[in-house]
Amino acid sequence: MWTPERVDPLPGTEFALMQLRVAPITSGLAIGSLIAGIASILVAVLVLCFGVAGATQGWGGVVAGAFALLGALVGGGAITVGLIARRQIKRSGQDGRVRFTGGGVAVAGISCGGAGVGIAVLILLLVMVLQSS
């Protein structure tokens, strides 16, 4: 598991400095972005359920609006954290730094977050049209 990457002898002594190779780590920010993106899509489904169920009684728009706001906040957070994770992954791996992986996971989190925000807003508009008619 630990393999030496470089061994530098220290002049004048019998000792040497050894640097060990560290295995790459999946970025926690990328995983968090994906989890938040999936959560925003699930909240968008709640917008649909509560909006359609309450459209005839008059409370559907209010409840769907509250869940749409929650979905937009979670989706926006997923996009933001995903972009930060991509920057972290791009800058990692330089001398003396840990190398992070998970660029695809970060992109998936950004995509799911954007999809969740878009779906929530579209369904909220649909519920408002249904409730007003």
Side-chain angles (χ1 to χ4, degrees):
M1 180 171 165
W2 297 93
T3 58
E5 184 174 289
R6 195 170 96 189
V7 177
D8 295 328
L10 296 174
T13 67
E14 56 188 52
F15 300 105
L17 177 66
M18 181 183 349
Q19 293 181 348
L20 299 175
R21 181 179 308 268
V22 179
I25 301 169
T26 303
S27 173
L29 290 173
I31 294 171
S33 171
L34 181 60
I35 290 170
I38 292 171
S40 72
I41 291 174
L42 294 176
V43 170
V45 171
L46 285 177
V47 172
L48 176 65
C49 293
F50 285 118
V52 171
T56 57
Q57 286 111 13
W59 55 265
V62 174
V63 175
F67 277 107
L69 179 63
L70 177 65
L73 290 174
V74 172
I79 293 169
T80 303
V81 171
L83 291 173
I84 293 171
R86 289 201 54 192
R87 184 183 318 155
Q88 177 193 44
I89 293 166
K90 189 183 300 183
R91 291 182 179 176
S92 69
Q94 298 169 355
D95 289 337
R97 291 188 176 180
V98 175
R99 187 168 64 93
F100 288 104
T101 61
V105 177
V107 170
I110 293 168
S111 301
C112 288
V117 170
I119 292 169
V121 169
L122 287 175
I123 292 174
L124 180 62
L125 292 174
L126 175 70
V127 168
M128 296 305 281
V129 168
L130 286 175
Q131 190 170 348
S132 66
S133 59

